[in-house]
Amino acid sequence: MKSNRKCLLQPNLVILTILMLGLMSRGFSVCASEEFPGAPRVQADGETWEGKWQDDGHRYAVFRGIPYAAPPTGELRWQAPARRTPEPGVHMAKSNGSACIQTQRLVTWERNIYKAYGLDETLVPDLMNIGEDCLHLNIWTPKIGDSEKLPVFVWIYGGSNRSGWAHQVHYEGASLAKRGVVSVFINYRVGVFGWMSHPALSKESTDGVSGNYGILDQLAALEWVKRNISQFGGDPDKVTIAGESAGGLNVSVLLASTLAKGLYKRAIIQSSGFGNLRNLEANETLGTKIMAHLGVDGTGDAHQTLNDMRTLGAEEVLIASNSVRGSAGYGPVIDGQVLRGPILELYGQQHDDPVEVVIGVNAHEFSLFLPQRYTVNEGGMPTEEDYTRALAFFAGSDEDKQKLREILKTEPDRFRSMERLSTAGHFLCRSNVAARQLVGSGHNVYYYYFTHARSGQNQWMGAHHAAVMPYVFDTGNHVLPSHDAASFRTSPTA
């Protein structure tokens, strides 16, 4: 398959839900499923799960809170996910499982977006159901049974790898189900429980590594999908993995990892920075500091150290981690096993099993981050000192800095100049490099550039980070009301 260089070099606004590189079953008609007059039931990994039918003019089944692995608690904390032991009986899959351990950070983010749109921030509720027993997934499907062979869409949420959950307000599969797609939304461990390395944990591991538990969770979920999705009407050989922000970063890691081979056919990477990831040694150092903060110095017996780490209260660990790390993000670790090297370097290596990939960014990714990252005056403008500091970060020489200043003169003010510079440096340029590396190594790559700004928002936001999300799952109008939502809907003919 030849690479689509035209799409790569000439990015256009796309409607992501429908693009998916041929994902949709065109001409699919959602059946009323009279053969299932009762609640839908499915066998998965030796257990029976009962979901619910939903009908809004189209009938589809929804299964919520199905565990894809054993609870990562007790001895399984900071371990690769283990297979769940099947239990007899019919299990209800009608309510969401717990979100993985985290703070209300992402709730605050969503409320700030509501405020910026002029909406009531109290419409965003606190995240209430949180726990370590969180490795669950939700499924939306228009058909039940292993004869359907429908395409499958697996969503990996964002949230700086510190936050996020499978049942966030945008994450609904109704629109995809109506178009003949089985969608799967997975939970995975975040923050200190998903990404912490420690010498004692590495020593315990048969591979001599630690820290990529969040990615290992995602791999376990994909393996579950491979084994079971046919019972939900899906085709295990037509799986697309997708994610936005940190979810996009995690998809980019899965794309680079040999451990994910054969678990998906296509990948969608939205608004990823393809981050500068820590190596194992650096991540172990951070983990050692977190445990020392909790009184576990790691100098004694290895078994006792591990026992001390695993008997700490989850809330206690979360607070200590935030105290030690501050605002520093979490994420995948270059450990030589899950991830053998820097992502972009691995993308440049030739592949004998190329896949189809969508990569793209929003036009103003950094607009919501500027007030958090830089000093702004009363008028909301970054200071000249911060502007100079940003130029120095992205440009190596004085000549390059001057070139950037000349380019950015076209912007109306310093805020927009800083936003454009930061969006390019953190998102746009890295995504372009990733796309070109993948094309060069034999993958078929489609590139998009999302420019749409919803009406009713503060104009400085533009096409901000996460602005594309209401259109991915067609949830725009009831999540973020706007008079243009009806005219900017996903369409099977796009």
Side-chain angles (χ1 to χ4, degrees):
M1 182 179 291
K2 293 184 179 180
S3 300
N4 193 330
R5 295 181 184 274
K6 181 177 180 180
C7 287
L8 172 66
L9 298 176
Q10 299 179 6
N12 295 294
L13 176 69
V14 297
I15 302 176
L16 293 174
T17 309
I18 306 304
L19 180 56
M20 294 187 191
L21 307 168
L23 180 71
M24 298 303 170
S25 299
R26 295 187 180 276
F28 182 85
S29 175
V30 181
C31 184
S33 302
E34 286 83 3
E35 66 269 34
F36 294 105
R41 288 186 178 182
V42 171
Q43 288 272 339
D45 274 359
E47 296 183 292
T48 301
W49 295 95
E50 181 176 297
K52 290 181 178 180
W53 291 111
Q54 289 190 197
D55 195 333
D56 55 6
H58 299 274
R59 174 172 276 198
Y60 45 88
V62 181
F63 296 82
R64 297 181 184 272
I66 297 179
Y68 63 83
T73 58
E75 291 296 314
L76 295 181
R77 179 191 281 180
W78 293 309
Q79 295 256 35
R83 285 287 292 269
R84 171 183 165 88
T85 301
E87 297 179 0
V90 177
H91 305 282
M92 295 298 103
K94 301 182 180 184
S95 58
N96 296 312
S98 299
C100 294
I101 295 289
Q102 59 193 277
T103 66
Q104 298 290 328
R105 174 184 173 276
L106 196 56
V107 171
T108 301
W109 165 269
E110 292 283 354
R111 286 173 178 166
N112 286 338
I113 291 179
Y114 267 59
K115 287 167 63 178
Y117 277 94
L119 301 172
D120 181 3
E121 64 182 289
T122 63
L123 293 173
V124 181
D126 285 342
L127 178 60
M128 302 299 293
N129 189 13
I130 306 173
E132 283 191 85
D133 181 2
C134 62
L135 300 186
H136 307 100
L137 51 78
N138 296 339
I139 298 175
W140 304 64
T141 179
K143 291 289 244 180
I144 298 294
D146 59 7
S147 63
E148 297 302 331
K149 301 294 185 182
L150 300 177
V152 181
F153 178 79
V154 178
W155 180 253
I156 300 172
Y157 51 70
S160 301
N161 275 318
R162 309 174 59 151
S163 312
W165 53 96
H167 56 281
Q168 285 174 237
V169 66
H170 287 299
Y171 303 161
E172 297 183 8
S175 180
L176 293 174
K178 294 171 187 176
R179 293 177 171 91
V181 176
V182 179
S183 54
V184 184
F185 300 82
I186 67 172
N187 271 352
Y188 62 91
R189 283 171 283 182
V190 294
V192 64
F193 295 99
W195 310 106
M196 189 187 79
S197 299
H198 190 279
L201 295 171
S202 297
K203 185 177 180 179
E204 176 189 44
S205 165
T206 56
D207 294 320
V209 300
S210 59
N212 275 318
Y213 307 110
I215 293 294
L216 293 173
D217 291 345
Q218 293 160 38
L219 288 166
L222 290 172
E223 289 165 355
W224 188 97
V225 167
K226 190 78 170 178
R227 294 192 304 269
N228 297 294
I229 204 63
S230 62
Q231 302 302 313
F232 294 85
D235 187 340
D237 295 322
K238 294 181 180 177
V239 174
T240 293
I241 56 175
E244 183 264 349
S245 192
L249 171 61
N250 296 337
V251 170
S252 74
V253 170
L254 293 170
L255 189 60
S257 177
T258 57
L259 300 184
K261 186 176 180 179
L263 296 178
Y264 64 93
K265 184 178 181 180
R266 301 180 174 99
I268 300 176
I269 302 172
Q270 299 178 240
S271 300
S272 171
F274 298 89
N276 298 317
L277 306 181
R278 294 184 181 87
N279 61 29
L280 178 60
E281 182 180 2
N283 212 47
E284 284 182 340
T285 298
L286 276 172
T288 299
K289 290 180 179 178
I290 293 169
M291 287 299 110
H293 189 81
L294 288 161
V296 182
D297 60 18
T299 58
D301 174 76
H303 178 77
Q304 186 60 50
T305 296
L306 291 170
N307 183 69
D308 292 344
M309 291 169 63
R310 288 178 173 138
T311 54
L312 290 164
E315 187 72 18
E316 184 182 11
V317 174
L318 182 64
I319 292 171
S321 170
N322 291 337
S323 177
V324 171
R325 296 182 65 117
S327 61
Y330 286 87
V333 182
I334 300 174
D335 62 358
Q337 295 291 326
V338 173
L339 191 60
R340 294 178 291 109
I343 295 172
L344 295 182
E345 288 183 16
L346 295 175
Y347 282 179
Q349 299 175 7
Q350 197 66 31
H351 291 265
D352 56 4
D353 55 345
V355 298
E356 295 177 310
V357 185
V358 168
I359 296 178
V361 299
N362 302 342
H364 308 104
E365 294 275 9
F366 222 77
S367 63
L368 294 178
F369 295 116
L370 272 182
Q372 303 172 27
R373 300 290 182 89
Y374 297 103
T375 304
V376 296
N377 59 29
E378 292 182 2
M381 290 294 124
T383 63
E384 176 62 30
E385 180 182 357
D386 274 350
Y387 188 31
T388 301
R389 181 160 58 91
L391 287 168
F393 179 81
F394 292 112
S397 67
D398 290 340
E399 181 181 1
D400 287 341
K401 293 174 193 173
Q402 188 55 40
K403 287 180 180 178
L404 283 175
R405 282 189 180 272
E406 290 299 318
I407 293 171
L408 295 171
K409 275 184 178 179
T410 59
E411 298 300 325
D413 54 48
R414 193 183 298 140
F415 182 94
R416 191 54 69 192
S417 295
M418 285 275 283
E419 183 278 315
R420 182 181 176 191
L421 175 66
S422 299
T423 292
H426 288 292
F427 292 94
L428 182 60
C429 294
R430 293 181 184 183
S431 293
N432 269 283
V433 171
R436 292 175 187 278
Q437 289 283 81
L438 288 167
V439 166
S441 61
H443 295 284
N444 195 39
V445 178
Y446 298 76
Y447 193 88
Y448 75 85
Y449 186 59
F450 185 87
T451 61
H452 181 73
R454 291 166 63 87
S455 62
Q457 72 185 72
N458 291 328
Q459 292 305 302
W460 60 267
M461 295 167 63
H464 59 81
H465 193 63
V468 73
M469 295 312 303
Y471 308 109
V472 174
F473 300 110
D474 207 8
T475 56
N477 208 32
H478 77 266
V479 175
L480 286 174
S482 169
H483 74 261
D484 71 352
S487 63
F488 193 77
R489 295 176 64 84
T490 53
S491 166
T493 61

